[in-house]
Amino acid sequence: MRFKLFFTHLSSSTMPTLILFNKPYGVLSQFRSDDNNNFATLSDYFSDKSLRVAGRLDATSEGLLLLTADGQVNKALTHPPKANAGKQQGKTYWIQVEGDASDAQLQQLQTGVPLKDGITLPAEVVRLSETQIAEHIWQAPDKIAKRKVTTWLAITIFEGKNRQVRRMAAHVGLPCLRLIRMASSGFSLGNLEVGASTQIPLSPADLKRLGVQPLSAATTTPKSPQSKHPTSRRKQP
């Protein structure tokens, strides 16, 4: 109860904030460039270098990227306390895989598959309809491989092994052609346009769910991040 009372006196301007960014294909989840490739970086979209990424995406993956200048929030998102881990910190990906996924393959993904760094935890996996894809997913980048027969799956995982979803799909014989993160730790992409971002204040309920301890107003006032692209919630055509 003391936790709730502390926050009732804080205005939204003193609360930590979170940036939701719809990362395009071909953008690194970092501000510095990489001499080994020609990928764009977050510096092409944000000028505030105090922002830190909470959960990276490969350059060839798309979708929700979370950024914050608050150290406690970043830590809670990347290394959640045990009491706040599990389903509260799940990450949902929509993936397009090669071939017609069978019930047996989906069952393998749901149960857990053995990878080099251990068996994965049980995941939530469902097939997606053409209608769902048409309503929520933008046109594929030109460099995405084209196949005649593909299946779209929604997969939610509750851990963070390196390139986990791609490796899980490959292990059961479903090479991943396209991967889009739709939601992470209770925050969703919604209709945020590709390459656009939006800044949201974290509510007391958000902080409690993430396991972030109350901070004084002096330490919670964030540096206002500046986006190089206008915020938009329109879907990319």
Side-chain angles (χ1 to χ4, degrees):
M1 194 65 177
R2 292 177 60 190
F3 182 93
K4 294 181 180 178
L5 288 174
F6 179 92
F7 283 113
T8 56
H9 300 290
L10 293 180
S11 66
S12 60
S13 62
T14 63
M15 302 298 288
T17 60
L18 192 66
I19 301 293
L20 278 60
F21 174 52
N22 189 346
K23 189 188 83 66
Y25 180 96
V27 177
L28 295 171
S29 297
Q30 60 191 45
F31 285 90
R32 66 181 185 280
S33 60
D34 190 333
D35 294 336
N36 296 321
N37 56 63
N38 294 320
F39 290 130
T41 71
L42 295 179
S43 293
D44 295 299
Y45 295 87
F46 300 96
S47 60
D48 184 359
K49 300 303 190 295
S50 70
L51 289 173
R52 294 292 179 269
V53 178
R56 294 174 180 272
L57 282 173
D58 293 338
T60 54
S61 297
E62 308 162 69
L64 182 62
L65 199 65
L66 302 177
L67 303 96
T68 180
D70 187 283
Q72 287 203 60
V73 172
N74 183 280
K75 182 178 180 181
L77 288 167
T78 55
H79 299 90
K82 290 184 179 180
N84 295 79
K87 293 188 178 297
Q88 297 186 78
Q89 298 289 65
K91 296 179 284 289
T92 299
Y93 300 84
W94 285 17
I95 60 173
Q96 183 182 29
V97 297
E98 184 175 352
D100 186 7
S102 68
D103 290 342
Q105 288 170 313
L106 267 61
Q107 181 62 40
Q108 283 182 278
L109 295 172
Q110 292 168 341
T111 303
V113 298
L115 302 177
K116 289 183 178 180
D117 47 355
I119 299 177
T120 61
L121 295 175
E124 297 175 359
V125 185
V126 296
R127 286 188 182 86
L128 295 169
S129 68
E130 292 184 4
T131 300
Q132 288 174 301
I133 299 304
E135 289 179 349
H136 298 285
I137 299 302
W138 49 93
Q139 184 176 350
D142 292 337
K143 292 185 179 181
I144 295 290
K146 307 296 189 297
R147 297 290 186 272
K148 289 185 178 180
V149 179
T150 65
T151 305
W152 276 94
L153 303 173
I155 178 169
T156 301
I157 61 173
F158 306 98
E159 55 190 324
K161 299 180 186 297
N162 184 44
R163 296 176 60 86
Q164 179 175 334
V165 173
R166 290 184 183 276
R167 291 192 292 145
M168 288 174 67
H171 181 86
V172 300
L174 297 170
C176 186
L177 303 174
R178 192 176 181 194
L179 183 149
I180 302 169
R181 184 155 63 199
M182 302 296 289
S184 179
S185 303
F187 305 98
S188 62
L189 191 62
N191 291 322
L192 195 62
E193 184 180 352
V194 176
S197 63
T198 186
Q199 177 176 296
I200 60 172
L202 295 175
S203 68
D206 290 329
L207 295 175
K208 185 176 181 180
R209 175 171 54 81
L210 295 174
V212 177
Q213 296 300 314
L215 302 175
S216 67
T219 58
T220 53
T221 303
K223 182 179 179 181
S224 178
Q226 301 176 1
S227 172
K228 292 186 177 180
H229 293 251
T231 297
S232 171
R233 291 184 176 276
R234 293 180 293 106
K235 189 174 74 172
Q236 177 95 341

